[in-house]
Amino acid sequence: MAAEPRPLVRSVHRRGVRWRFTTLYAGLFLGSAVAMLAVVGLVAGGTYRADPAPGSTPSTFSSAAQERIASLQHQLAEAHSRQVDQLLLGSAAGLVVMGLLSVALGWYAAGRVLRPLRAMTGATRRISADSLHERLAVPGPHDELKDLGDTIDELLERLEQAFAAQRRFVADASHELRTPLATLRASVDVALAKPGPVPEQTRTLAGRVRTELDQIDRLLDGFLALARAQHGVPLPDVDAIPLDLLAATALADRASAASAKGLVVEADRTGDGSGVRVCGSRTLLRGMVENLVDNAIGHNQPGGWIRVATSTAGPDVRLVVENGGPVLTQDQVAQLALPFRRLGAERTGGGNGSGSGLGLAIVAAVADAHGGTLDLRARAAGGLKATVTLSRAADAADVEDMA
C-alpha cells in the first residue's frame, strides 16, 4: 500500500516543472506587454493643445471668431481624450486576451521542451535487468539533452556488462565445481569399496560426506537453473507444455515425502476443457513446478496440508500452490523470492536437509523468462500462497514465436 502514492508524486513533480516553465514564459510575455502598454500610454496621453495660425494673434479675430476657435479647440481636445481612452481600453483588453494566450502558448512550449525528457524517462523506466541491451539513442543535435541520453546509455552498457559477467560467473563456477565434487564422491566410494572390513566410523563419515555432496549438487543445480533462466538467451526445448500434468507428476514423485510428514495433499484443475498448456521450456517449467512443490512440502508443519491448483482465465494460465505453516508477514514473504533468503529455523532446510535457499528465486526467474509473474502472499491462517501466471498456449504459432 505504501508504494501506491509514488506514481502520483512523480506526476505532481512533472506537472510542477511544466507549470514553472509556463509561469516563466507567461510572466516574461506579460511583462513585455505591460511595458509596451505603458509606453503607448505615455506617448498618447499628452494634453492636446492647438496653436494659433502663424502670423495671427487673438486680437486680429473678432469676438465671434474667437469663440468659434475656442469651441473647436475644446471639441478637438475632447476627441483626443476619447481616442486615448479607447486606445488604452483596447490595449488593456488585448493585454487580457494575450495573457490567456500566453499561458496556453507557455504550456505548449513547456511541453515541447520537456517532451524529450519524458521520452527518456519512460524508456529508462521500461528497461529492466532482462532488457539492458536496449538503449535510449536520443536523436537530434548534440546538446544538453543528447548528452544526458548518451550518459544514460553508457550507464546501461556498464550495467549490462556487469549483469552478464555475474551470470557467466555463476554458470562457469557451477560447471567447474562439478569436477572436484565428482572426485570427492569417487574417493568416498573407493574408500568404502576396499577389501576387508570397513570401520563403522568410516561408514558414518562417508554417509555424512555423501549427504553434504548431494546438498552441494542440488545447490549447483539451482545455480545453473537460475543462471539459465536469467541469462536472456532463447529458451531451450520450447513446446506447448501441459502445466497441470507437470504439477500432477511433481506431486506423484514427492508423495512419499509428503506422507512422511503426514501432509494432506489436494490437487485441483479447472479450465475450459482444452487443457492447461503454456508455451515454454519443459526443462525450466518442470524445475519451476518442482521447486514450488518442494517449498510447500519442506516448509510445512507435520500434519499440515498442501493445495495445488491449475486454471485458465482468458489468455492466462495460473498455477497456485498453497501450504499451511507458521504465520508470516507480507514483508517477510516479499523477501523469499530473493536468493538465499529464509525465515527462521523452519526455512533452513532442517526438515529434510534439502533446502538451498534458491527454490523460489528459481521460480521467479523461470516465470520472468517466460513472460510471467510470481506472486507470493502470506495466508492469514498461516503458511504461504504462491501464484504463477503465464501466457496460455493458444496454438502452434505461439510456440514457434517463442522458439
Side-chain angles (χ1 to χ4, degrees):
M1 297 297 293
E4 293 181 356
R6 292 179 181 175
L8 178 59
V9 172
R10 287 195 297 265
S11 178
V12 169
H13 286 324
R14 184 167 61 248
R15 285 199 299 267
V17 172
R18 190 171 185 180
W19 272 116
R20 286 196 293 271
F21 274 113
T22 301
T23 304
L24 176 62
Y25 296 153
L28 292 175
F29 179 85
L30 288 178
S32 301
V34 169
M36 184 180 65
L37 183 60
V39 172
V40 171
L42 290 175
V43 172
T47 304
Y48 178 79
R49 182 174 60 88
D51 295 329
S56 63
T57 59
S59 59
T60 62
F61 297 103
S62 63
S63 59
Q66 291 179 2
E67 292 178 358
R68 180 61 176 171
I69 291 173
S71 176
L72 291 174
Q73 289 178 342
H74 179 70
Q75 293 177 4
L76 288 174
E78 289 181 348
H80 175 72
S81 178
R82 287 194 299 268
Q83 289 177 353
V84 172
D85 292 341
Q86 291 176 356
L87 178 61
L88 294 178
L89 182 61
S91 299
L95 181 62
V96 173
V97 173
M98 291 306 298
L100 297 177
L101 289 178
S102 67
V103 173
L105 292 175
W107 177 264
Y108 173 76
R112 289 295 299 270
V113 171
L114 295 175
R115 182 182 301 173
L117 291 178
R118 289 199 300 269
M120 294 167 59
T121 301
T124 305
R125 190 175 294 137
R126 287 192 301 269
I127 296 175
S128 64
D130 295 324
S131 58
L132 288 175
H133 62 280
E134 299 182 9
R135 297 293 182 267
L136 301 180
V138 178
H142 191 79
D143 53 12
E144 288 81 358
L145 292 178
K146 185 168 178 59
D147 288 342
L148 176 60
D150 293 342
T151 302
I152 295 177
D153 286 341
E154 293 173 359
L155 174 61
L156 292 175
E157 183 176 0
R158 291 194 294 271
L159 287 175
E160 182 184 14
Q161 294 174 355
F163 271 78
Q166 179 190 24
R167 291 164 180 170
R168 283 195 301 268
F169 171 78
V170 172
D172 294 343
S174 300
H175 281 295
E176 293 297 330
L177 285 174
R178 289 194 179 278
T179 300
L181 287 177
T183 303
L184 289 175
R185 195 182 300 275
S187 299
V188 172
D189 294 338
V190 169
L192 294 177
K194 288 182 178 181
V198 178
E200 186 62 28
Q201 292 180 345
T202 302
R203 292 185 179 276
T204 302
L205 178 61
R208 292 179 179 177
V209 171
R210 281 178 173 173
T211 300
E212 293 302 322
L213 290 176
D214 291 339
Q215 174 68 6
I216 296 175
D217 272 339
R218 283 188 290 268
L219 182 60
L220 292 180
D221 288 337
F223 273 137
L224 287 173
L226 188 60
R228 190 178 187 183
Q230 292 180 336
H231 205 273
V233 298
L235 298 176
D237 57 350
V238 173
D239 198 357
I241 309 301
L243 197 61
D244 51 346
L245 182 58
L246 291 182
T249 302
L251 288 174
D253 293 341
R254 290 153 178 78
S256 59
S259 297
K261 297 188 68 169
L263 303 178
V264 177
V265 180
E266 301 178 15
D268 181 29
R269 171 189 164 186
T270 59
D272 55 8
S274 62
V276 186
R277 306 173 75 86
V278 297
C279 291
S281 167
R282 179 180 294 273
T283 302
L284 293 180
L285 289 175
R286 181 175 61 244
M288 179 191 75
V289 175
E290 291 175 350
N291 274 290
L292 281 173
V293 176
D294 287 338
N295 182 78
I297 294 175
H299 307 303
N300 211 320
Q301 294 176 335
W305 57 272
I306 298 174
R307 183 181 301 114
V308 179
T310 55
S311 62
T312 58
D316 295 330
V317 170
R318 290 189 178 91
L319 170 64
V320 180
V321 179
E322 293 183 83
N323 62 274
V327 177
L328 305 174
T329 66
Q330 190 58 38
D331 291 337
Q332 291 175 317
V333 169
Q335 303 296 318
L336 295 181
L338 300 177
F340 304 111
R341 293 300 178 94
R342 299 165 174 141
L343 301 178
E346 74 279 2
R347 298 197 67 85
T348 60
N352 51 19
S354 62
S356 65
L358 289 174
L360 293 179
I362 293 173
V363 172
V366 172
D368 186 69
H370 288 77
T373 58
L374 169 65
D375 181 63
L376 300 176
R377 297 290 175 182
R379 301 184 70 258
L384 183 68
K385 178 180 180 181
T387 303
V388 175
T389 304
L390 300 171
S391 297
R392 183 179 180 181
D395 48 38
D398 293 341
V399 180
E400 295 176 359
D401 291 340
M402 180 167 284

